[in-house]
Amino acid sequence: MHSGTVVFGTVFMDCKGFAANRYDPLGRNVGSVRFIHGGVGRNVAENLALAGSAPVFVSSVDAGGLGEEVLARLSAEGVDVSRVRRAEASGMGIWLAVMDERGELASSISQMPDLSIMEAIIREEGEEIIRGAESVILEIDLNDFISGEVLRIARKYSKKVYGITGNMEVVLRNRHFLRELECYICNETEAGRLFGAPVPAGEPERVLETLVNYVDAERLKSMVVTLGGAGSVFYDGAERNGGFCPSLPTEVRDTSGAGDAYFSGTVEAMIRGIPLGDAVMYGTKLASWTIREEGPTCRTLPEPLF
């Protein structure tokens, strides 16, 4: 079975509040509240489909109206959801987020889905799914078993794996996982935890120097650190090629899906054979389109990404 890119990740239902005026963390804030389909894995799968790919999504959703709504939307966009399991409870997570008047994330609380459902998928179908894939995208910090097994099977069948994080706990416990990734992409906060020192987002040259030293010391293949509005830095350890990619001037409405969009555009470009130094430009473009929207993806691209 040939299934293109396979995405292992979560589905969340995002409850987002958007402040209409200056956000006061201790006061009452007038604005709007919306329920939005989210989750790192779900966002990436939808982004890939919007960019012209046909990914297979491996995840779980709640059995019921909300779960079916998530699956229907992904399917309509071109995502293969045949590997998504329905669960009576906790099939998907909940993310409560407050966005300030600039569209920046002010605070949030996450409730994780029951990851034993995805563990079961990997035990029962993991070999078949990964063997038939061209490449694998992994939300690498779900838990130790999921990441370890996906990487093991991918290694067995010589499949390239691209990693994205939602938090950092699994990565910090298993730094060796990163050596098995074709590319690891994270933001400056996550990179700071990995490097053991704060990352000065406003000083990309210093960040790039730190990144090069880290990738070489840890024997990683390639890594990218996003710096928010300051752009991103990248380094391909195999090609010994690194650099800086500036951000694009953009009217910001909601930044919460920017990282997933950047990852999706960059990785899709790499899968298409575009070198990392050029691939990051596609990620930057998709992220700039996404933060114009009040949602984690840009469902109507202003122009084809590729």
Side-chain angles (χ1 to χ4, degrees):
M1 178 182 175
H2 180 75
S3 53
T5 301
V6 174
V7 180
F8 290 86
T10 53
V11 173
F12 274 70
M13 186 57 64
D14 296 349
C15 177
K16 288 186 179 179
F18 297 87
N21 304 303
R22 184 175 180 180
Y23 174 68
D24 180 358
L26 300 179
R28 302 184 65 172
N29 294 275
V30 175
S32 61
V33 177
R34 295 177 59 193
F35 288 91
I36 300 170
H37 299 180
V40 171
R42 193 219 69 88
N43 294 347
V44 169
E46 183 169 85
N47 279 324
L48 295 179
L50 293 167
S53 183
V56 175
F57 187 36
V58 182
S59 189
S60 63
V61 296
D62 290 347
L66 287 177
E68 293 303 322
E69 184 182 304
V70 169
L71 296 180
R73 169 168 161 170
L74 288 174
S75 183
E77 298 289 6
V79 178
D80 181 342
V81 296
S82 62
R83 302 289 187 171
V84 179
R85 291 196 182 179
R86 297 163 175 82
E88 290 304 318
S90 301
M92 51 196 191
I94 300 172
W95 189 47
L96 176 63
V98 176
M99 316 303 291
D100 67 17
E101 71 281 1
R102 300 165 297 176
E104 300 280 353
L105 181 65
S107 63
S108 68
I109 298 175
S110 290
Q111 176 181 305
M112 286 292 289
D114 180 358
L115 295 177
S116 68
I117 303 165
M118 190 178 295
E119 290 178 8
I121 299 174
I122 292 168
R123 286 191 183 96
E124 297 163 18
E125 305 175 42
E127 291 245 353
E128 177 190 354
I129 293 170
I130 295 173
R131 184 175 62 242
E134 281 186 354
S135 54
V136 176
I137 289 173
L138 172 63
E139 194 175 332
I140 197 169
D141 53 1
L142 298 178
N143 66 30
D144 299 59
F145 173 81
I146 291 171
S147 295
E149 275 298 285
V150 169
L151 290 170
R152 181 190 66 79
I153 299 169
R155 184 169 61 252
K156 177 179 178 180
Y157 293 106
S158 300
K159 305 297 181 179
K160 293 180 179 179
V161 183
Y162 301 84
I164 185 171
T165 50
N167 60 65
M168 287 290 291
E169 302 311 315
V170 173
V171 171
L172 293 174
R173 286 197 304 270
N174 300 276
R175 293 170 182 258
H176 60 282
F177 284 171
L178 301 183
R179 297 190 192 114
E180 301 194 52
L181 301 177
E182 193 67 19
C183 185
Y184 175 56
I185 299 177
C186 65
N187 63 35
E188 77 271 22
T189 302
E190 294 158 346
R193 297 186 68 187
L194 202 59
F195 299 161
V199 170
E203 302 177 57
E205 290 185 359
R206 282 184 57 196
V207 181
L208 178 58
E209 181 180 356
T210 303
L211 175 62
V212 169
N213 291 336
Y214 184 82
V215 169
D216 286 345
E218 295 295 322
R219 306 190 307 281
L220 308 189
K221 293 179 182 177
S222 64
M223 184 171 167
V224 181
V225 178
T226 60
L227 306 172
S232 60
V233 293
F234 61 89
Y235 180 60
D236 184 327
E239 298 294 328
R240 311 288 292 180
N241 176 45
F244 167 70
C245 182
S247 61
L248 297 172
T250 305
E251 180 183 351
V252 178
R253 297 186 69 185
D254 179 0
T255 62
S256 59
D260 298 342
Y262 180 97
F263 174 91
S264 303
T266 300
V267 168
E268 177 62 19
M270 294 181 72
I271 290 171
R272 291 172 182 241
I274 297 171
L276 179 60
D278 296 321
V280 293
M281 297 171 61
Y282 292 89
T284 300
K285 183 182 290 188
L286 187 56
S288 73
W289 292 341
T290 300
I291 62 178
R292 300 174 190 173
E293 310 291 328
E294 284 189 0
T297 61
C298 179
R299 298 188 69 186
T300 305
L301 302 185
E303 62 186 62
L305 186 61
F306 296 97

